[in-house]
Amino acid sequence: MSVETTASRFDALKWIVVFALLAVGVVGNSYFSGESLLYRVLALVALAAVAGFVALQTAKGAAFWSLVKGSRTEIRKVVWPTRQETVQTTMIVVIFVVVVALMLWGLDSLLGWLVSLAIG
């Protein structure tokens, strides 16, 4: 899936608006620090949504959205493991981790014992 987009002459202006909205969010959050956290978070989410919408209107935003849609299509094509395969693989990993941990514990104990013999 190839998306050919050309940057419009307003893309730079759109990115300036996006960064201005983000700056307003940061400054506003600091300025209204005495207000309820809920109101500040809701305002930041709203500003982020507007900034995201404006960013998606640019050529790079459209290319990013196309990538997201293509990724979702590819995820649907993946053959996911069954529950039994997942459990078996997880058990193999857990057993391997326990075995390696015991080996490292044994090596650490042996080296600690040898060092204590050497330094008295």
Side-chain angles (χ1 to χ4, degrees), residues 37-117:
L37 180 63
L38 174 65
Y39 296 140
R40 291 186 291 150
V41 168
L42 289 175
L44 285 174
V45 168
L47 279 173
V50 171
F53 178 75
V54 173
L56 285 175
Q57 305 308 311
T58 64
K60 289 191 182 289
F64 173 75
W65 189 248
S66 174
L67 175 70
V68 168
K69 289 193 308 190
S71 298
R72 291 187 69 207
T73 303
E74 290 299 320
I75 284 176
R76 289 187 197 114
K77 295 178 184 178
V78 172
V79 178
W80 297 100
T82 64
R83 182 175 177 86
Q84 180 184 7
E85 291 171 335
T86 305
V87 169
Q88 288 174 346
T89 304
T90 302
M91 291 308 297
I92 290 170
V93 169
V94 167
I95 290 169
F96 184 76
V97 166
V98 168
V99 168
V100 170
L102 289 173
M103 288 175 21
L104 290 173
W105 172 74
L107 181 63
D108 183 53
S109 298
L110 175 68
L111 290 175
W113 179 72
L114 290 173
V115 168
S116 67
L117 281 178

